[in-house]
Amino acid sequence: MHASSPGGQPGRMGKPRTRISAADESAQRAENAEAPKIPHLMRRIAELFAPHKGALTATIVLVLVSAALSVIPPLLTERAFDEGLFPVGADGQVMGPNLPVLTTIVVAMLAVFIVSSLLGVWQTWLTATVGNRVMGALRVRMFTHLQRMELSFFTRTKTGVIQSRLQNDVGGVASVLTNTVSSVLGNTVTVLAAFVAMLLLNWQLTLIALVLLPVMVIAQRRVGQVRARIAAKTQESLSEMTAITQETLSVSGILLSKSFTRQRSEIARYSDENDNQIALQVRQQMTGQWFFAMVGIFMSAIPAIVYLASGWLITGGTTDISAGTIVAFTTVQARLLFPLMALMRVALDLQTSGALFARIFEYLDLRPAIIDSPDAHPVPAGADAAGRSLLGRVEFDHVSFRYPDADHDGRPTLDDVSFAIEPGQYAAFVGPSGAGKTTVSYLVPRLYEATGGAVRFAGVDVRDLEHESLVSNIGIVSQETYLFHASIAENLRYARPDATDEELEAAARAANIHETIASFPDGYDTVVGERGYRLSGGEKQRIAIARVLLKDPAVLVLDEATSALDTISERVVQAALDDASRGRTTIAIAHRLSTVVSADVIFVVVAGRIAERGTHAELIAQGGVYASLYRQQAEQPEVPTA
């Protein structure tokens, strides 16, 4: 499934991405090409950096000043040789070192180096601060926006895709300023300044050096292409190793491998991929070493050629080149190569930066399907004309519903469903799998929006209520209990962070779990493990019930809360649910009919419609769908569960 863009078209959200090596330009360009097209992208990026105008201006000034200062040392080097170390007298003879002049030049050089280093530290701090603040603000902004998205967004979007947006895309934003912007400015000014310095030193040698530079660039490109191919294979291997790790080292994966004694095969699979990764890493490193060896050869060759050319020029009498000029020239020339290579990636870096921002804005532009109306108000606490409280009353008025990604030509999940549950009533929804029972529990707290009719809570259409106020009055206990990797107390306080220890104990006692918790060595400080794996199914479910009781909602929704439990655990949990439902409206979605025989009203849902309604006794007497389902379950032999 694909998430939808604001305009309703499928978005590019189907596959989580991994980081791509800087050397793998072809893969990076392909990744950039898949980025969404966002209108006014550059303007929106500029708006993100607008709060940091002062720091950005200072950064640009520092980059320009640092690049300009880089021209001074070679010129001072020439002065140091020609006027300090080997000064020429009036008679044209080389004299001994002029220490006062040499000292002045050396002090000036040291001053330039110190100032350049200090400016570099300042520049790094500014760029790192701005880049990370923008990244942090974007991360929080996206996380906040995702919290507002409707449930259907998460059911059709892989968790890995969402994590990739938050980690890879938003994380890459920090490098936009720290790497791309400063690299473009710094390297451009450095290259221009180096050319100017070389021309000032000697224009003939400059022409000779420029002829050799393209050879270096071509060599770098060829080696980069080889590294790109290896980097792509290395990335695929890393992805495979990550997938193996996620599959086999999760709690579920470990249980599966141990259950089928497949540890050796999993180790062998990981080991084989690890060997492949080692071989690829060695190849990549060796390719890089050959590249740097070639760079070293060329870096050594160009000065040597400059020396030879200088000898020819001096011998031919076409120019007057001093030793200081030659030393200064080779120093400048050596600093020219890597800025040029860096500038070759500028276009790709800028494209990558734009692609990262485009993916981020694509998510930020998603519009939640469920939002508060402008005149939404809290759930009222009033009463009807007879003085009865309406808080806890749930009503469906000719409600129809179809899931967003469902076939519009097929039958809706709910079709013209109407019922009313009064405050304090225990209502059960039963029926075959896929009939639409759970969908009812989604529409009450407005996790999904009804496509037809009206859902009313406390006598008010839920679309006219503030969503936060609506949900705060509803407690949900589902079949799949989710507990955080934290203590029992922390999991309970998720419902009410300010709850006292006494209130935690009272909720746990009401859920029939206090005695069990007290038997643990650490009591309420016991860490439950990932998804509560250190607890049994019944214990997890009762903790979830205690958590809901701590919330003290007006309406309790039980979505097949005991269907995954064994018989003994089911009885204990069902007793806790019966206690929890007293004094509040309860909506139970049930698979085992034996758990709802005492309900005030039972609704039988078949193919999205209410086929029957009544008490257990009334429905049995009717001899319809409910009676048939109840008879089938009663005839099934009970399987003991350890």
Side-chain angles (χ1 to χ4, degrees), residues 461-528:
D461 193 317
V462 293
R463 289 169 291 195
D464 297 327
L465 296 173
E466 293 176 357
H467 192 244
E468 184 174 344
S469 176
L470 171 65
V471 175
S472 67
N473 282 279
I474 300 173
I476 301 174
V477 179
S478 63
Q479 175 183 342
E480 297 183 6
T481 301
Y482 190 91
L483 297 180
F484 296 101
H485 185 72
S487 69
I488 293 174
E490 289 172 316
N491 273 284
L492 292 175
R493 283 197 173 96
Y494 193 76
R496 267 183 55 205
D498 60 344
T500 64
D501 291 343
E502 292 74 18
E503 289 172 326
L504 294 187
E505 182 177 333
R509 286 185 182 278
N512 292 332
I513 190 63
H514 171 71
E515 299 300 331
T516 303
I517 297 174
S519 69
F520 296 150
D522 295 326
Y524 283 84
D525 293 327
T526 301
V527 176
V528 302

Side-chain angles (χ1 to χ4, degrees), residues 17 19 48-49 128 130-146 160-178 352-364:
R17 300 179 303 106
R19 291 188 181 276
L48 294 175
F49 290 97
V130 173
N132 282 283
R133 283 181 177 174
V134 171
M135 177 191 68
L138 265 180
R139 183 177 287 137
V140 172
R141 181 178 168 186
M142 182 179 288
F143 187 85
T144 302
H145 186 70
L146 288 171
V161 176
I162 299 174
Q163 291 176 341
S164 178
R165 296 293 170 112
L166 279 170
Q167 296 173 7
N168 292 351
D169 292 336
V170 179
V173 168
S175 66
V176 172
L177 185 64
T178 56
T352 301
S353 301
L356 289 174
F357 278 111
R359 293 186 184 97
I360 293 169
F361 285 127
E362 182 186 30
Y363 259 37
L364 292 177

